[in-house]
Amino acid sequence: MVLDPASPLSIPRAGDAAPFRSMRQAAAALAVYICLRQATEAALGEDGAAAMAALTDQLRFPSAHTAAASAAVLGVFARAQAADEAALEQLTRVMLERLIATRPHPWGLLVTFIELLKNARYGFRAHEFTRCAPDIERLFDSLSRSAGSGAGSS
């Protein structure tokens, strides 16, 4: 993958909204983010789906590892472009499958998904796949209310 000089890939600085405890943790998040960006380029292929499922599986208990995986997922949504819509939809699908199918829910997955719903910075509800069908729209409305964001459909 060739990095564009205008690319938003950067290690968070001390004043950023979600600073990391160490440069090692920031570097790990950046490495995971780069791998995820490579996977999103082939999102509709098997490799992209496997990478997204593997990343989602890392959203587990409170740890630096989970923080790096969560930062990578949130970073993808924060820096998403129109061309990334299919990859974001696939990542959301994998996260929802994990939330619906497994109990107890993995802590990191819950925290990451709630952050996506609550924080307007990620523009989660603005994506077309959250409004593709009335059932899906009701599901995300219900999840938003449960998360306490109060955000309805856009």
Side-chain angles (χ1 to χ4, degrees):
M1 175 174 156
V2 178
L3 294 179
D4 180 347
S7 174
L9 294 176
S10 64
I11 295 175
R13 293 178 268 302
D16 287 352
F20 293 98
R21 285 186 238 160
S22 69
M23 285 302 290
R24 177 179 275 172
Q25 189 178 12
L30 181 61
V32 171
Y33 177 78
I34 289 170
C35 290
L36 188 59
R37 285 298 300 162
Q38 289 173 339
T40 59
E41 290 174 1
L44 300 177
E46 286 183 30
D47 292 341
M52 289 182 191
L55 181 64
T56 302
D57 288 341
Q58 302 312 307
L59 298 171
R60 303 172 293 185
F61 49 87
S63 68
H65 191 153
T66 298
S70 180
V73 169
L74 295 174
V76 168
F77 276 92
R79 294 169 178 89
Q81 300 169 356
D84 297 332
E85 191 77 12
L88 296 177
E89 180 178 357
Q90 188 171 24
L91 183 56
T92 301
R93 181 183 55 82
V94 170
M95 291 173 66
L96 275 175
E97 285 173 355
R98 300 295 192 279
L99 284 171
I100 291 169
T102 33
R103 288 195 184 241
H105 303 306
W107 177 86
L109 182 58
L110 274 174
V111 168
T112 303
F113 201 76
I114 289 169
E115 182 67 17
L116 280 174
L117 290 171
K118 289 177 73 171
N119 195 334
R121 173 181 179 218
Y122 304 114
F124 183 76
R125 294 303 304 273
H127 294 289
E128 186 62 35
F129 63 85
T130 64
R131 300 180 312 275
C132 65
D135 291 341
I136 300 295
E137 192 167 0
R138 279 193 301 274
L139 171 69
F140 285 117
D141 284 342
S142 174
L143 289 171
S144 293
R145 282 191 302 277
S146 294
S149 67
S153 59
S154 301

